[in-house]
């Protein structure tokens, strides 16, 4: 498939960093990151502009008026994970872990050098994630134009690049606070967001309503109702084929944990958060590339 030829998926990476990665300004700050990842630069460069695995995807979708949408989901790849692990280890070393309810609740105190280092690296990783999606979308558009638009440049009417699983400094109730959105996106008034369902369900482009009580947040997606292990035990490849009928995608054991039946009903999820967002477009995928 030409999409997979242009964008590595799963554990794959580019053999050499692509131009869009090599010229990224973010590399100027790499040697200022946690010393435990400074030998990972070559790998991080080769992974910038790649999809990854798990629930990461690239999709071609149609909305209710048959307009075409290109959508993808990915993040900060392995370098984000490694940065997080290094800082978690540092945090655990600052506390008597037996005095915490759980070791994973170790934390940094604002104003300390450890907090400053963590905050700097976190912002770098979030910028990397944003650039990662930007590079992939540029390359996806090139593939799409080559296949369907006689190589003419297709200009999207709307482009949305939003974080989930991230931290931002915002003002709420008259105070500047750190907001952590885990499995959530920014739903401030007028802000565009993406809420995917699953490989066989609808996805939605939304605009935030700015509900103060939600700290201007809404769900990132349908969310799982079954663990990956439980999904593999409960469903077969035949189930997967039935639930993704009409979608061109992988239907093998390798993606069985991503079966639509393992996810919550996205329509119910959208009804539950109708006070948080308004729907701009309702999408149905016709092609889904999984990591």
């Amino acid at each position: 498939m030409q999409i997979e030829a242009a964008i590595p998926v799963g554990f794959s990476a580019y053999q050499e960093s692509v131009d869009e990665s090599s010229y990224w300004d973010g590399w100027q700050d790499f040697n200022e990151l946690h010393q435990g990842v400074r030998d990972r630069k070559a790998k991080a460069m080769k992974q910038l502009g790649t999809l990854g695995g798990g629930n990461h995807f690239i999709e071609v979708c149609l909305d209710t008026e048959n307009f075409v949408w290109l959508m993808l989901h990915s993040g900060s790849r392995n370098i984000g994970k490694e940065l997080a692990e290094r800082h978690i280890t540092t945090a655990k070393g600052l506390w008597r872990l037996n005095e915490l309810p759980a070791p994973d609740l170790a934390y940094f105190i604002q104003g300390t050098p450890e907090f400053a280092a963590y905050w700097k690296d976190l912002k770098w990783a979030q910028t990397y994630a944003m650039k990662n999606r930007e590079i992939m979308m540029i390359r996806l558009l090139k593939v799409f134009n080559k296949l369907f638009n006689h190589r003419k440049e297709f200009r999207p009417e709307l482009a949305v690049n939003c974080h989930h699983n991230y931290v931002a400094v915002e003002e709420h109730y008259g105070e500047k606070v750190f907001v952590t959105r885990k499995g959530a996106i920014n739903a401030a008034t007028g802000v565009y967001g993406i809420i995917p369902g699953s490989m066989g369900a609808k996805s939605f482009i939304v605009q935030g309503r700015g509900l103060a009580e939600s700290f201007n947040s809404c769900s990132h997606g349908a969310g799982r109702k079954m663990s990956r292990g439980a999904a593999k035990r409960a469903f077969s490849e035949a189930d997967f084929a039935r639930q993704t009928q009409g979608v061109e995608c992988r239907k093998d054991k390798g993606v069985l944990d991503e079966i639509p039946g393992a996810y919550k009903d996205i329509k119910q999820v959208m009804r539950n958060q109708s006070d948080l967002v308004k729907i701009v477009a309702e999408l149905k995928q016709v092609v889904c590339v999984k990591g």
Side-chain angles (χ1 to χ4, degrees):
M1 178 180 272
Q2 293 196 40
I3 292 175
E4 291 171 311
I7 302 171
V9 303
F11 292 109
S12 299
Y14 295 106
Q15 292 186 350
E16 300 292 339
S17 59
V18 294
D19 287 347
E20 303 98 311
S21 168
S22 300
Y23 301 138
W24 180 46
D25 290 342
W27 300 124
Q28 298 173 11
D29 302 319
F30 193 87
N31 288 333
E32 301 300 317
L33 299 178
H34 192 289
Q35 61 181 5
V37 305
R38 291 178 192 169
D39 61 344
R40 304 293 200 273
K41 184 175 181 180
K43 180 177 181 180
M45 292 182 74
K46 293 175 184 177
Q47 285 193 315
L48 188 56
T50 67
L51 186 67
N55 64 348
H56 293 175
F57 63 77
I58 297 170
E59 290 185 345
V60 179
C61 304
L62 297 175
D63 66 16
T64 53
E65 297 180 5
N66 280 331
F67 285 103
V68 177
W69 292 74
L70 304 179
M71 185 165 64
L72 59 85
H73 165 50
S74 187
S76 58
R77 301 296 280 112
N78 185 254
I79 189 64
K81 172 179 176 292
E82 295 221 5
L83 278 169
E85 290 174 345
R86 299 301 188 279
H87 285 288
I88 289 169
T89 299
T90 300
K92 288 180 177 179
L94 297 175
W95 299 98
R96 296 177 180 175
L97 299 183
N98 64 336
E99 296 177 358
L100 297 172
D104 287 340
L105 293 179
Y107 58 92
F108 297 123
I109 296 175
Q110 189 176 358
T112 63
E114 294 85 1
F115 181 93
Y118 169 66
W119 181 240
K120 173 175 60 67
D121 288 4
L122 182 149
K123 288 191 292 183
W124 184 92
Q126 291 181 176
T127 305
Y128 180 103
M130 188 73 76
K131 189 65 177 180
N132 186 41
R133 294 189 293 270
E134 178 186 309
I135 291 173
M136 283 190 286
M137 186 54 71
I138 289 171
R139 296 175 77 85
L140 179 58
L141 279 167
K142 286 181 179 178
V143 171
F144 198 81
N145 287 332
K146 180 180 178 181
L147 291 173
F148 302 109
N149 207 27
H150 307 293
R151 297 182 183 271
K152 295 179 183 178
E153 186 177 359
F154 170 76
R155 293 185 178 276
E157 292 187 15
L158 176 64
V160 182
N161 191 346
C162 66
H163 284 313
H164 77 287
N165 296 349
Y166 75 107
V167 185
V169 176
E170 299 174 358
E171 185 170 320
H172 294 276
Y173 296 101
E175 294 186 50
K176 280 193 173 181
V177 295
F178 291 89
V179 177
T180 300
R181 293 188 174 96
K182 173 63 177 174
I185 62 174
N186 187 348
T189 303
V191 172
Y192 285 99
I194 304 169
I195 303 179
S198 68
M199 293 175 71
K202 301 290 180 69
S203 295
F204 296 87
I205 307 299
V206 299
Q207 270 189 305
R209 297 187 185 275
L211 186 70
E213 291 89 340
S214 73
F215 288 87
N216 291 347
S217 303
C218 70
S219 80
H220 156 63
R224 301 188 69 93
K225 65 180 181 182
M226 299 176 68
S227 69
R228 296 186 181 278
K232 289 179 178 179
R233 292 188 294 272
F235 296 106
S236 66
E237 290 176 74
D239 295 325
F240 197 102
R242 282 193 295 272
Q243 292 185 26
T244 58
Q245 188 174 2
V247 181
E248 178 62 35
C249 64
R250 287 177 57 188
K251 301 178 190 283
D252 57 82
K253 285 184 178 180
V255 292
L256 192 55
D257 54 345
E258 283 294 300
I259 189 169
Y263 284 84
K264 298 173 185 175
D265 180 354
I266 187 63
K267 292 183 179 179
Q268 184 61 52
V269 170
M270 296 307 297
R271 286 192 291 269
N272 291 345
Q273 59 182 348
S274 60
D275 57 337
L276 306 181
V277 293
K278 62 179 179 180
I279 295 171
V280 173
E282 181 179 308
L283 315 180
K284 182 70 176 72
Q285 68 274 73
V286 292
V287 176
C288 179
V289 178
K290 295 293 290 185

